[in-house]
Amino acid sequence: MGRGLILLFTLFTAARAGSLEDAVRSVARGLAARLAIGESVQITAKNLSSLPAQELEKARSLTQRALRRTPARNKPPLEVFLSLSENPQGFLLIGELRRPPGERYVEMAAFDATPQTATIRAILTRRLLWQQSTPLLDVQILDNRMLVLDTQQLTVYESRDGKWEPAVSKLIPSAPSRDPQGVIEVSNTQLTLTINDTRCEGTLQPTLDITCTASPQPQQPAEISAKISELCGAKNVMFQTTAVDWQSPDTLSIADSSNRLEFPSPITALQARAGAVLAITANHAEEIHSAYLVSVDCSR
Amino acid sequence: MRTWLASIAAVSLLCATAEAARRPRYGGSLRIAMRAAVDNADPAAWPSDSLASAAKQQITTQVFETLVRFDAKGRPQPWLAKEWTHDAARRRWLFTAREGVRFHDGSLWQPENGVIVIPADKPIADILVALAHPRSAIVQRGPDGVLLGTGPFRIDKWDAKAVTLTAHEAHWQGRPFLDSIEITMGSGLREQTLALELGRADVIELAANEVRALRQRNARISVTQPIETIALILAKDKAHLRERLSLAIDRQSIHQVILQRQGEITGALLPQWLSGYAFLFSTLFQPLPPAPSASLTIAHDPQDALLRAIADRVALNATQAGLPMRAATGQQRPEVRLLRLRTQGREAAPALRELAAGLGVAMPEASAYETEKSLIETVGAVPLLHLPVAWRLSERVRNWAGTWRLENVWVEDKP
């Protein structure tokens, strides 16, 4: 298992689909083979996919160009119905040529609309760490203990018989916020918490002992993102999210790559961890707040 | 009086808030009712009936796990295998086993050298699809015939009418929240509704035409994407009537009146979201001029009220279009069967292979679209509608994600 083995995932994905231009070439070639001399086409296009209208127009004009023929006199053009569609594996370009009275030919090709310039070949997997009904801010796992920071308190859980049981908790006096944010920082036995306008410092061991003071809230970044200094051989790898509102599902992706992971609820916070990312999601409708550890398998 | 009412409202609100504030709870039992009856757990013995097949998949994936799983986008994800690669000669695929995976008796899953070797006799896409199917689950067969899996739940009891699963304490992803799952099988839809309303069930199946009304009543409902196909299957000697029958059926009216606009009209076996090309199959309602034809008989599951309503409408449409149709009686072999076909997975080609196997035919290798066209002709199918599968949930169910990932589900019992 080593040098002689080759990464498989990328090969598998790459073999399935090319670009939209490749798909147009493939579909146009198939349809052109069905055209007799003197037959021309008139294209009607529709978009059944989640791609923007520009992609449909691009497909239509490229196909029109590829199928351009000099029509024979008094011969009406044949109808070609061009559709952009999609399935769970990706996008489809489908061309349907109709020749009266009843002939019909279908050509289709899969394509990938995501950028083809992925520099990181990795698989993202997520593991649910914790879930509760109070909005979560940060979660840290330290050996057999888990620190859960939410908008009201810090709770330390201990692993007993494979279950997380609450050991101790401490209320945090923080002003309410519609977009609460908070971070746990642990260095040896020293503990620092930041929640909105409150900063708490103290110790985790031998007992949880913290003192909180009001502190000016630092400027928060506009985007929810996290940076890992080194990942799969690349430097400063950015993770970013896409949800636009609290009702949307979300996608976590590695910037400039096609690696992505779907989440059922919007991600409200991302924290970099060693070779991984902690993602906090909030399902506000059902009051379910979750912490996931997203690990990255570089597959090399 | 107004103040008193306001106080009651405030107390109700507080109670609701207090309930919502609870954390996920370990313990409790989830009670599920279903129409299908699955007589055994063995992944090697798979039922051909699509309803039973879907039910078996739902139950056994709690107990047995596969090397690979497909995510919501249909992409393979590592599961019991951490990674997979091929050797330099491309003759073998090597799947590296995840460490720390235990069977339900506590023994470790330890493949030889930590690797499972698969001959590279097929494209990897096909190998991954095959390995992700519950048929390919990792099973340890004990000398007494007991089947042990590695999944989040183990089998406690399995008989013709009921299954009880209990939590696998040593699951590699952690113990599930639930202590147990109790599944009642072979239960009709009315029986299921009664069980839920009497507090004897937490998750029941829901007919698609009931979804709208229950939503208006604020019932807790979980609806999947359309994964069920309602289709007519003609007997071999009547297959020549397929196109004529398809043109005779007013799908629009069935969709609007009987199904209350739930699901989608279709002329394809696979739904549009799954194949991407379902729109190519015609749903045209254009009855041809009547021509002399012998009478046809139609049959369906007699317990299925929705199918009965659709069959009545199909018979009316067919008769009006010169294809006299009536309900089959007794032991009479019907010329037309109205079926629910359940599509499996999230990729067109394997989903079609499953459908074809369920209908008792084997399809040659071709593109998914060509295969589907051919399958429709071969089995004399007239697809009518794609329906979601809907579940109604009791108030105590939490974290039901719409799929059968029951390890994350928990139940909240009122004190």
Side-chain angles (χ1 to χ4, degrees), chain A residues 5 8 85 88-89 104 131 133, chain B residues 20-21 24 73 84 276 280 346 399:
Chain A
L5 303 175
L8 170 64
S85 185
Q89 286 71 51
R104 182 167 173 258
Q131 202 163 57
S133 56
Chain B
K73 290 275 182 186
W84 48 94
L280 291 170
R346 305 184 69 87
N399 265 13

Side-chain angles (χ1 to χ4, degrees), chain B residues 169-320:
Chain B
E169 302 285 340
H171 186 253
W172 57 279
Q173 283 196 316
R175 182 201 196 275
F177 287 120
L178 294 167
D179 280 345
S180 63
I181 302 169
E182 294 163 26
I183 302 167
T184 306
M185 302 187 291
S187 176
L189 289 177
R190 275 190 195 171
E191 204 181 330
Q192 291 185 34
T193 304
L194 195 63
L196 185 122
E197 285 175 356
L198 291 174
R200 293 186 196 139
D202 298 308
V203 181
I204 62 167
E205 294 165 319
L206 205 55
N209 56 340
E210 290 179 281
V211 169
R212 198 171 169 194
L214 282 166
R215 274 209 174 114
Q216 286 167 351
R217 283 168 48 195
N218 285 331
R220 294 190 67 206
I221 292 170
S222 167
V223 181
T224 66
Q225 285 181 297
I227 56 172
E228 210 167 62
T229 309
I230 306 286
L232 299 165
I233 305 290
L234 282 88
K236 263 189 183 163
D237 59 337
K238 300 293 178 194
H240 61 282
L241 297 173
R242 197 194 73 79
E243 203 167 332
R244 189 179 179 88
L245 183 58
S246 180
L247 287 167
I249 297 168
D250 183 358
R251 292 170 172 86
Q252 194 78 38
S253 134
I254 295 173
H255 182 242
Q256 285 184 4
V257 179
I258 300 176
L259 287 163
Q260 299 286 301
R261 294 194 173 87
Q262 295 298 311
E264 297 165 357
I265 290 166
T266 191
L269 287 170
L270 296 186
Q272 169 68 18
W273 70 266
L274 175 57
S275 71
Y277 59 68
F279 68 93
L280 291 170
F281 291 87
S282 172
T283 57
L284 201 61
F285 172 47
Q286 196 174 67
L288 298 176
S293 171
S295 178
L296 299 171
T297 54
I298 183 168
H300 57 84
D301 176 356
Q303 304 295 320
D304 195 325
L306 184 64
L307 287 191
R308 183 161 57 243
I310 296 173
D312 288 348
R313 182 60 68 107
V314 166
L316 178 70
N317 283 162
T319 304
Q320 285 169 341

Side-chain angles (χ1 to χ4, degrees), chain B residues 149-173:
Chain B
T150 62
F153 294 91
R154 61 185 174 80
I155 299 169
D156 192 44
K157 182 186 114 180
W158 192 304
D159 62 33
K161 289 196 166 178
V163 173
T164 305
L165 308 176
T166 51
H168 177 26
E169 302 285 340
H171 186 253
W172 57 279
Q173 283 196 316

